Amino acid sequence: MNKVTSILVATVAVVSLSGLALASGGKDTKKGEDLFKQHCMSCHADGGNIVNPQKTIGKEALKSRGITNWKGIVKSMRNPGPGMTKYDAKTIPDKDAKAIAEYVLKTFK
Ligand code: HEC
């Protein structure tokens, strides 16, 4: 095998390995992440809150305000507090809302 070929083989191996790592994250997590980026990131990047810095959405912060599971987060989306966009089931169907909520709980501490 010449040098160019072995570099090529190594590159292909790395690329397919990272593809596997992504896939093992699960389809719903990836979907939740994409939807979060699309709808929520503008205000809640990194689980923060640029509109109201008191109301970050990390797991512990949410817990201190009585939100302990995905249902609580979906409820906030359907019926948000002041300064947050409202997301009804037409904008974000229940299934997608759940995926976003699970992503939030899993990702931000
Ligand atoms: C326009 C900015 C904005 C966007 C976009 C936004 N939020 Fe918020 N979010 C806020 C603000 C402001 C609050 C604090 C509201 C309050 O005082 O209860 C908040 C609060 C929350 C809370 C905590 C509610 C509580 O009672 O503690 C959760 C959970 C949340 N947002 C999730 C989301 C999700 C999920 C999305 C995307 C689907 C989203 N937010 C999009 C601004 C935003």
Side-chain angles (χ1 to χ4, degrees):
M1 213 191 285
N2 65 30
K3 206 168 169 197
V4 174
T5 315
S6 45
I7 289 172
L8 214 71
V9 168
T11 311
V12 168
V14 168
V15 169
S16 42
L17 272 180
S18 40
L20 273 180
L22 272 181
S24 68
K27 219 170 115 217
D28 277 2
T29 310
K30 181 77 178 77
K31 188 175 167 202
E33 180 179 356
D34 286 347
L35 290 166
F36 182 85
K37 283 184 180 152
Q38 188 185 335
H39 295 286
C40 325
M41 186 90 123
S42 49
C43 295
H44 294 296
D46 287 329
N49 190 328
I50 59 159
V51 180
N52 182 348
Q54 307 290 314
K55 301 254 176 132
T56 54
I57 60 167
K59 199 174 174 184
E60 291 304 316
L62 287 178
K63 205 163 132 194
S64 74
R65 299 198 302 272
I67 298 177
T68 54
N69 55 30
W70 65 268
K71 285 184 186 158
I73 296 179
V74 172
K75 225 161 133 188
S76 306
M77 290 159 62
R78 301 293 187 231
N79 208 347
M84 176 163 152
T85 316
K86 181 179 168 125
Y87 301 93
D88 60 21
K90 247 193 228 147
T91 323
I92 303 182
D94 285 343
K95 220 171 129 250
D96 292 354
K98 186 180 176 195
I100 295 176
E102 284 178 336
Y103 168 77
V104 167
L105 285 173
K106 232 179 98 174
T107 309
F108 309 119
K109 302 293 167 199

